[in-house]
């Protein structure tokens, strides 16, 4: 009745919900990942069937008016990974002002949406122990461009 079948990840697709931001937030909550890499660059990933991941890519391209990365195949599953400034835009679209979502995904999304200050970056970088030295960062650091301004 609800389309729940064995190995649904291989054949899942959005039917009449492909334009619904709440649906896509739920898909990310279930089969996605939201994170920040050791250098402080945010990323979001969705895995699933070719049709579902392609529909997600099309949804983002329509709503954000920008090209998204390619969909890649890994074995029998497909994935799309979105990083840096585009990731911030995607996370804002999906999670900004949302009232229903998985709490751990919402927490990660809010960490990406909220502006990161120097204290946060110092803490994250030292926590990941990228260098044994204490890093002194300038006033503004853009981890997606890995440059100082």
């Amino acid at each position: 009745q609800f389309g729940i079948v064995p190995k649904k990840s291989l054949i899942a697709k959005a039917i009449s919900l492909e334009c619904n931001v709440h649906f896509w937030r739920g898909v990310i909550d279930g089969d996605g990942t939201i994170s920040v890499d050791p250098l402080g660059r945010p990323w979001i990933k969705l895995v699933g069937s070719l049709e579902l991941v392609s529909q997600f890519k099309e949804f983002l391209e329509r709503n954000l008016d920008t090209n998204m990365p390619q969909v890649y195949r890994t074995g029998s599953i497909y994935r799309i990974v979105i990083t840096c400034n585009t990731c911030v835009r995607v996370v804002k679209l999906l999670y900004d002002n949302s009232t229903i979502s998985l709490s751990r995904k919402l927490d990660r999304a809010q960490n990406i949406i909220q502006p990161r200050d120097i204290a946060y970056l110092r803490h994250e970088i030292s926590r990941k122990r990228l260098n044994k030295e204490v890093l002194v960062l300038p006033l503004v650091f853009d981890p997606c461009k890995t440059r100082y301004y």
Side-chain angles (χ1 to χ4, degrees), residues 88 91-92 96 106-117 120:
V88 173
V91 169
K92 280 183 181 180
D96 205 17
L106 179 61
D107 289 344
R108 291 178 185 169
Q110 287 174 338
N111 286 335
I112 290 171
I113 292 170
Q114 294 170 351
R116 288 168 270 168
D117 62 12
Y120 168 80

Side-chain angles (χ1 to χ4, degrees), residues 7-41:
K7 299 183 181 180
K8 69 177 177 11
S9 295
L10 303 177
I11 60 170
K13 63 181 175 180
I15 300 172
S16 75
L17 290 171
E18 55 271 3
C19 296
N20 187 311
V21 69
H22 307 296
F23 169 76
W24 290 115
R25 184 174 52 252
V27 171
I28 291 293
D29 281 354
D31 291 328
T33 304
I34 301 172
S35 192
V36 176
D37 76 10
L39 294 176
R41 295 177 295 217

Side-chain angles (χ1 to χ4, degrees), residues 52-67:
L52 185 71
V53 175
S54 296
Q55 287 176 310
F56 180 62
K57 177 182 176 181
E58 291 168 13
F59 166 78
L60 295 176
E61 288 176 339
R62 274 193 313 272
N63 283 277
L64 299 176
D65 194 30
T66 189
N67 291 328

